[in-house]
Amino acid sequence: MFYLFPFGNVPKSEGVIIYGAGDIGQSFLKQLEVTRFVSTIYVTDKKITSAKQVGAISFVPEHELIRLPAYPIIVASLKFADEIELHLKKLGVNANRVVKLNANHVMEEGQYEPHTFDWNEYYKDAEEHNEVQFQTYLEPLMQKYHFNLSQVMDFACGKGRIADLLSGNCESLICVDTSQEAISHCASRFDEKENVECRISKPEKIPADSGSVSFIYSWDAMVHFDYKSVDYILSEFSRILSIGGYAVLHHSNAREHEDFKADKNWRKNPHCRSEFNAEDMRHICRKSGFIVEEQQIMDWGIKALDCISVIRKC
């Protein structure tokens, strides 16, 4: 079983307190160590009898909890989460500080391909950063390459946060995603925009005619796709893109990373990145009929975790 730290549910803070030093708590510590999500970490539970420091992590007895900074408290238990929350309240902890796991954070090993995962929690958090990301990364590329925006596709669009910013520049914009919920949301979001169309996709086929798209972009989605998935997706991009058409793809650069060893299970890696990198993208492009115009290695919480590839169909 794998327990994903509830990054999207934790209020912004310089530190966190993990209640529970068992398997779930240890899993959380490994994820926090790699992602550097916070600078200060405390761990406490009833079984800790004396304070000790292990690297950047402070283990403290439960009776000292009330003396710690008012950081969010993440309950490292699923079965007893409600009982622990009640216990913390009796200790004088404000209920607003307590963060519990839900079903989305608990998975069997090998469970869930990225397209089947419930990303709603992440979408809500990511919406706050869409303008900064668009202006920092995508807009400069648009100005540099003058992409043909007559027939644009937002691949793996999610709930349309980037499409919302780009749609005003496109003659036609097609939002595609394998999630019916995401597409239904986009259909409602863009109901009054006549140039936006929303289509449900399938993992094995993108719903567009051959040569019908002038520009494709994919933001903050392909970072979770493994080599096999990207290989197939680029064959579909090659089919639907017109000759000379561009694609801007935001993908993982985690494989062979200098700071950690990427796991084949994408959920175990920092920010759920796949075991993939810029070199893999170049290799796939060469055999799929694309020229790599440029690649920008970018930081995403961790130095050089991601890459933006600008590719052109030959």
Side-chain angles (χ1 to χ4, degrees), residues 138-311:
L138 296 176
E139 203 167 48
L141 291 174
M142 293 170 60
Q143 295 171 355
K144 178 178 180 178
Y145 287 96
H146 303 288
F147 302 124
N148 179 353
L149 302 182
S150 58
Q151 300 291 327
V152 178
M153 175 173 287
D154 183 335
F155 177 76
C157 62
K159 293 198 170 179
R161 64 189 182 99
I162 300 299
D164 194 39
L165 300 173
L166 189 62
S167 57
N169 299 316
C170 306
E171 292 181 29
S172 173
L173 173 60
I174 304 170
C175 294
V176 301
D177 201 289
T178 57
S179 167
Q180 181 62 65
E181 182 179 356
I183 289 301
S184 296
H185 181 92
C186 286
S188 176
R189 181 173 190 166
F190 303 123
D191 181 54
E192 297 183 0
K193 294 192 175 185
E194 295 182 356
N195 66 324
V196 179
E197 182 181 355
C198 303
R199 300 177 184 175
I200 188 72
S201 184
K202 296 181 179 180
E204 67 273 12
K205 188 172 179 63
I206 299 174
D209 293 335
S210 299
S212 63
V213 178
S214 63
F215 174 63
I216 299 172
Y217 69 93
S218 183
W219 184 256
D220 203 16
M222 292 179 69
V223 290
H224 312 296
F225 295 179
D226 61 15
Y227 188 99
K228 183 179 179 180
S229 297
V230 176
D231 192 0
Y232 182 76
I233 287 166
L234 257 67
S235 70
E236 276 290 271
F237 285 175
S238 181
R239 178 183 66 83
I240 66 176
L241 262 178
S242 56
I243 299 297
Y246 283 86
V248 174
L249 309 178
H250 173 207
H251 57 86
S252 173
N253 191 51
R255 188 173 72 82
E256 298 181 359
H257 198 281
E258 62 180 17
D259 290 340
F260 61 91
K261 179 175 174 59
D263 195 280
K264 290 183 181 298
N265 184 338
W266 56 279
R267 298 177 317 283
K268 291 185 175 182
N269 295 326
H271 298 279
C272 294
R273 268 26 182 189
S274 64
E275 189 188 33
F276 189 84
N277 64 12
E279 182 181 352
D280 292 331
M281 178 61 76
R282 293 194 296 272
H283 177 74
I284 293 173
C285 283
R286 283 194 295 270
K287 72 187 190 67
S288 300
F290 287 99
I291 294 174
V292 178
E293 295 288 352
E294 70 171 278
Q295 291 184 303
Q296 298 179 8
I297 305 300
M298 59 186 290
D299 304 338
W300 194 287
I302 294 176
K303 184 179 179 181
L305 183 65
D306 289 359
C307 178
I308 300 174
S309 292
V310 180
I311 66 178

Side-chain angles (χ1 to χ4, degrees), residues 39-207:
S39 58
T40 304
I41 304 171
Y42 290 98
V43 179
T44 187
D45 70 16
K46 291 181 178 180
K47 296 180 180 179
I48 298 176
T49 58
S50 60
K52 66 176 181 178
Q53 189 78 20
V54 180
I57 303 169
S58 300
F59 292 84
V60 298
E62 184 191 73
H63 65 81
E64 295 185 11
L65 175 61
I66 202 67
R67 302 175 187 172
L68 299 179
Y71 295 147
I73 301 176
I74 293 80
V75 177
S77 174
L78 189 66
K79 185 176 181 180
F80 301 107
D82 291 339
E83 289 89 339
I84 292 173
E85 181 181 30
L86 181 61
H87 177 66
L88 290 172
K89 290 179 182 178
K90 290 180 179 179
L91 292 177
V93 173
N94 188 314
N96 292 331
R97 292 173 56 196
V98 180
V99 179
K100 298 186 292 184
L101 297 181
N102 59 46
N104 290 336
H105 301 114
V106 185
M107 310 170 201
E108 297 288 346
E109 296 296 337
Q111 180 185 12
Y112 291 132
E113 292 297 321
H115 69 270
T116 66
F117 189 68
D118 184 353
W119 294 101
N120 282 313
E121 179 182 317
Y122 179 77
Y123 291 152
K124 183 178 180 181
D125 180 62
E127 193 80 31
E128 300 177 7
H129 311 291
N130 60 340
E131 289 191 18
V132 171
Q133 292 173 6
F134 181 80
Q135 293 168 1
T136 303
Y137 300 109
L138 296 176
E139 203 167 48
L141 291 174
M142 293 170 60
Q143 295 171 355
K144 178 178 180 178
Y145 287 96
H146 303 288
F147 302 124
N148 179 353
L149 302 182
S150 58
Q151 300 291 327
V152 178
M153 175 173 287
D154 183 335
F155 177 76
C157 62
K159 293 198 170 179
R161 64 189 182 99
I162 300 299
D164 194 39
L165 300 173
L166 189 62
S167 57
N169 299 316
C170 306
E171 292 181 29
S172 173
L173 173 60
I174 304 170
C175 294
V176 301
D177 201 289
T178 57
S179 167
Q180 181 62 65
E181 182 179 356
I183 289 301
S184 296
H185 181 92
C186 286
S188 176
R189 181 173 190 166
F190 303 123
D191 181 54
E192 297 183 0
K193 294 192 175 185
E194 295 182 356
N195 66 324
V196 179
E197 182 181 355
C198 303
R199 300 177 184 175
I200 188 72
S201 184
K202 296 181 179 180
E204 67 273 12
K205 188 172 179 63
I206 299 174

